Amino acid sequence: MSLPENLVTPCQTTYRSVGLGVYAVVVRYCTMPLEKVAMIANSSLVSSGKNQLGQAWKIATKEGLLAPYRTVGPASITAWFLQYSVMGFVFQTVDAALSVSLGTQRMPYGDQLMEPPSQNSSFGVATACKAILAPITAGTIESVVSNRAETQRFWGLGKSAAIERQLGWSALGRACGPAFVANSARNAVMSTTSFVATPLLFLHAFPQEHKSHSSLFWFGLSVNIFAGNVVAITQQSLWGRVLNYVEEGGGRNANYRAIIGEAYRKEGLSAFFTPPKWFARVLMNAPIQGTLPWFYNDVLPLGEPAALKLAGRAYGYVSS
């Protein structure tokens, strides 16, 4: 039995979101040492002098090569899944809602990226508003489900719990975690890169004769590395410095103005961007976020017909 028309879009959204979550858990766990190095490299634990990556690697592995994996708890596994599944779900939902309310087309998906761009497509004010609001919303909600787990991986489970007790925040504050503003800003940038910039640029600016699944893979990585992460590294660095500030004295509230001012006075712009910081961020982020447009638009569509068919059978069984 086929699905009713009004259930097709919700089922597609759910399938794509769950797929993103599973993909994220596998990739993020496998690359956990790179994430730990990037977290430390983009904090005040590492000076802006020479061999920043070497300094970060020594700190990350001072308790053994497997030490980064021991910072991964159930909250991190859950957060990785929710981080990307919720990000995908929220983005698709907001994209659909704003497309209807603003009278614009939805973001291109799957085989649409391989087709020539429509002659009547345009980038008006409504499209621009949607391209800004959708990833900001997705990035903020993504941080709600992921930032606390990220701070646990940064500090370690025991230290993180002690700092939370010292801060004495409300349930909502504990759920969001310290450095939430910097985290959500970074996630908004990366959501824009994966779900807006990469598909739109590939559809409209990439030479039609060179479009292929492999070119989408490499194009997505390039946009992630040389555009998204160039901006996101500033927020990643701020996030790490905020956590270093918060942990002093066992736990204190962040003062963004003081943190940014002190970092700039001591190190200038190098406090937030240096080639090693950027490279460390790329090592951590590119394997998952850089390949996300390819996985989302090339791999997930392969299983979508079967998923919808299975959903149709389930619907027929329930409705019979």
Side-chain angles (χ1 to χ4, degrees), residues 4-318:
E5 189 66 29
N6 64 328
L7 292 180
V8 172
T9 298
C11 287
Q12 288 175 327
T13 300
T14 301
Y15 164 76
R16 297 169 190 174
S17 301
V18 171
L20 288 174
V22 173
Y23 181 64
V25 170
V26 174
V27 177
R28 291 292 294 271
Y29 186 79
C30 291
T31 58
M32 185 59 217
L34 300 179
E35 177 176 337
K36 189 68 175 180
V37 168
M39 285 179 171
I40 295 172
N42 290 288
S43 72
S44 58
L45 296 176
V46 171
S47 66
S48 58
K50 295 181 179 179
N51 198 23
Q52 295 177 28
L53 290 179
Q55 295 178 55
W57 176 256
K58 287 182 179 179
I59 296 172
T61 59
K62 65 181 179 181
E63 297 180 4
L65 293 177
L66 297 180
Y69 292 104
R70 290 196 290 270
T71 65
V72 178
S76 289
I77 300 295
T78 303
W80 281 335
F81 177 81
L82 292 177
Q83 180 178 357
Y84 286 87
S85 61
V86 169
M87 175 181 65
F89 184 87
V90 172
F91 181 85
Q92 293 174 80
T93 302
V94 174
D95 176 38
L98 290 178
S99 296
V100 172
S101 60
L102 298 176
T104 64
Q105 294 181 339
R106 292 196 62 176
M107 289 294 168
Y109 171 76
D111 289 339
Q112 293 175 344
L113 297 182
M114 302 299 165
E115 300 172 358
S118 175
Q119 295 296 323
N120 59 0
S121 60
S122 61
F123 295 95
V125 175
T127 301
C129 288
K130 186 182 72 171
I132 295 172
L133 291 175
I136 288 178
T137 304
T140 301
I141 296 178
E142 176 187 356
S143 291
V144 172
V145 301
S146 68
N147 183 54
R148 186 187 185 194
E150 288 188 41
T151 63
Q152 290 175 345
R153 296 194 297 276
F154 182 86
W155 284 323
L157 298 177
K159 187 174 184 179
S160 179
I163 291 173
E164 286 185 356
R165 287 193 298 269
Q166 175 72 15
L167 290 173
W169 286 355
S170 66
L172 178 60
R174 291 195 303 273
C176 292
F180 179 81
V181 173
N183 189 276
S184 59
R186 181 205 68 195
N187 285 341
V189 170
M190 301 317 300
S191 180
T192 301
T193 302
S194 296
F195 293 111
V196 177
T198 295
L200 288 181
L201 287 174
F202 189 83
L203 176 64
H204 292 278
F206 202 84
Q208 185 64 35
E209 65 272 18
H210 295 301
K211 287 183 179 180
S212 66
H213 299 306
S214 61
S215 63
L216 175 60
F217 178 88
W218 292 111
F219 183 77
L221 269 178
S222 299
V223 173
N224 170 273
I225 293 171
F226 299 109
N229 272 312
V230 170
V231 179
I233 188 57
T234 61
Q235 300 308 303
Q236 180 70 25
S237 297
L238 177 60
W239 181 83
R241 288 181 176 274
V242 171
L243 294 185
N244 292 146
Y245 182 93
V246 169
E247 72 176 295
E248 291 185 13
R252 58 174 175 169
N253 290 323
N255 183 328
Y256 278 83
R257 178 176 295 182
I259 294 167
I260 295 172
E262 182 181 1
Y264 186 77
R265 282 192 300 272
K266 288 183 176 180
E267 302 180 46
L269 294 178
S270 296
F272 303 104
F273 184 91
T274 64
K277 288 179 184 290
W278 165 77
F279 185 68
R281 168 72 185 171
V282 167
L283 286 177
M284 161 190 168
N285 184 260
I288 175 62
Q289 201 86 35
T291 62
L292 206 64
W294 164 79
F295 181 80
Y296 183 73
N297 291 286
D298 275 355
V299 178
L300 282 179
L302 297 177
E304 194 162 305
L308 292 179
K309 186 176 181 180
L310 182 62
R313 290 179 179 175
Y315 175 79
Y317 176 79
V318 172

